[in-house]
Amino acid sequence: PKTDIVFLKVHKSASSTVMNILFRFGEMHNLTFAFPIGGGNQLFYPRHFLARFVQGFSPRSPQRFNILCHHMRFLQPEVHKVVSSSAFYFSILRNPVKLMESSFAYYKGTSAFSRAHSLEEFLSQPYHYYNPADSDSHYARNLMTFDFGFNPDGEVSTERVQLMLKAIEASFDLLLISEYFDESMVLLKEMLCWDLDSIVSFPLNIRDSSTKSPLSDTIVEKIKDWNRLDWEIYTHFNRTFWERIDRDIGRERMQQEVKALRERQGELARTCLQGMGSVAPKHIKDSSLRPLQHGNAKILGYNLKQGLDEETEHMCRRLVTPELQYSSALYKKQFAQKPP
């Protein structure tokens, strides 16, 4: 199994669920994480990543970390300084239409979104609300482009788009697609030589459907237009994703693998969860399992079954621990104060 991994955690793209998978694998195999200094949950995002943002990094004796997976704005030469040269780089993309709808609810408090009453209103005259100079403007336009380190307000010429896609291809071994999450996990498992249980997960940091709004065709087109660079990235890598499946796995075997993954997930849900699925934040009984609530989004969580034996409880708890709590537990473990 590969143990040196860089995951570019693109916002609002099922990346918290992927991060949970990496946290569990790293914890089980005693790997080191490149944590933000002081144990925060972002590597000084939205600034471009620098090696010195990582706790324990020193240019004099560069320590290599196994897993880099906290939110960052990608800058490969700096990433190279903290991970092994053979590290596996991957990220996950989401349809920019869904991404924008989700961002509007989640980042409602940002400068661009706070004054618009609805996404329609924002898109009817985006420059009335959007100012590229605002420090949080990146949440409102081409968010994936921004996370990959590029200028979200850059011109959309064929040449520029090609350069951007080539740069991403040169840096990343694999780009997953969140709309095909199970297929993505199977592909990841193959590439990393992991076993099935390492990639099983329950969806984390997901919104209650009551805060989701259906979008008209007109709005969909406006979103694609406004996020043209993201749209180019997404359509390109959605295509190469399926080409890769056809080349490396084949559709038939992929179906079998996805079926096995879903069956295992169902088994774990029956073992671990009260009521099999996610619940609204107010119904989460154990406050340590309550995810951070953000913007206008209602973020769901889980209740564990009572009376599980210690080992099962331990495994189940890891599957449903929200990102911030899990990250902080691993940080404390990695930087435990050595007794004098």
Side-chain angles (χ1 to χ4, degrees), residues 74-206:
F74 190 66
L75 186 60
Q76 189 156 23
E78 289 290 316
V79 171
H80 271 327
K81 297 177 185 175
V82 297
V83 293
S84 118
S85 56
S86 62
F88 180 86
Y89 285 69
F90 80 105
S91 186
I92 187 164
L93 306 171
R94 184 182 186 185
N95 183 321
V97 175
K98 294 180 186 165
L99 180 73
M100 176 118 200
E101 190 274 328
S102 174
S103 298
F104 188 80
Y106 202 79
Y107 300 116
K108 192 67 184 83
T110 57
S111 334
F113 290 154
S114 57
R115 298 195 328 277
H117 292 111
S118 64
L119 188 50
E120 285 85 329
E121 190 180 305
F122 174 83
L123 291 161
S124 66
Q125 38 175 356
Y127 283 108
H128 177 70
Y129 303 102
Y130 175 82
N131 176 358
D134 289 336
S135 62
D136 56 5
S137 67
H138 56 280
Y139 290 118
R141 186 179 203 188
N142 290 316
L143 181 50
M144 294 192 286
T145 303
F146 182 88
D147 285 354
F148 276 96
F150 304 104
N151 174 11
D153 293 293
E155 56 152 351
V156 190
S157 64
T158 313
E159 187 188 9
R160 197 166 169 275
V161 167
Q162 285 311 311
L163 284 170
M164 188 169 72
L165 297 176
K166 281 199 171 70
I168 295 173
E169 273 173 347
S171 301
F172 288 84
D173 299 291
L174 180 63
L175 284 137
L176 304 173
I177 302 290
S178 66
E179 282 77 20
Y180 303 103
F181 190 79
D182 293 343
E183 289 84 353
S184 291
M185 290 307 102
V186 170
L187 205 46
L188 186 66
K189 170 175 82 82
E190 293 290 301
M191 305 284 303
L192 294 175
C193 307
W194 287 9
D195 62 6
L196 180 66
D197 269 11
S198 297
I199 56 146
V200 168
S201 62
F202 297 139
L204 295 176
N205 204 25
I206 52 166

Side-chain angles (χ1 to χ4, degrees), residues 267-303:
E267 220 172 281
L268 284 168
R270 286 189 291 279
T271 303
C272 297
L273 304 179
Q274 278 181 31
M276 288 288 289
S278 49
V279 296
K282 62 171 187 276
H283 297 308
I284 301 168
K285 301 185 181 92
D286 180 342
S287 60
S288 71
L289 296 179
R290 199 169 291 145
L292 173 77
Q293 301 300 315
H294 208 293
N296 283 352
K298 254 203 213 115
I299 306 298
L300 305 175
Y302 296 92
N303 285 317

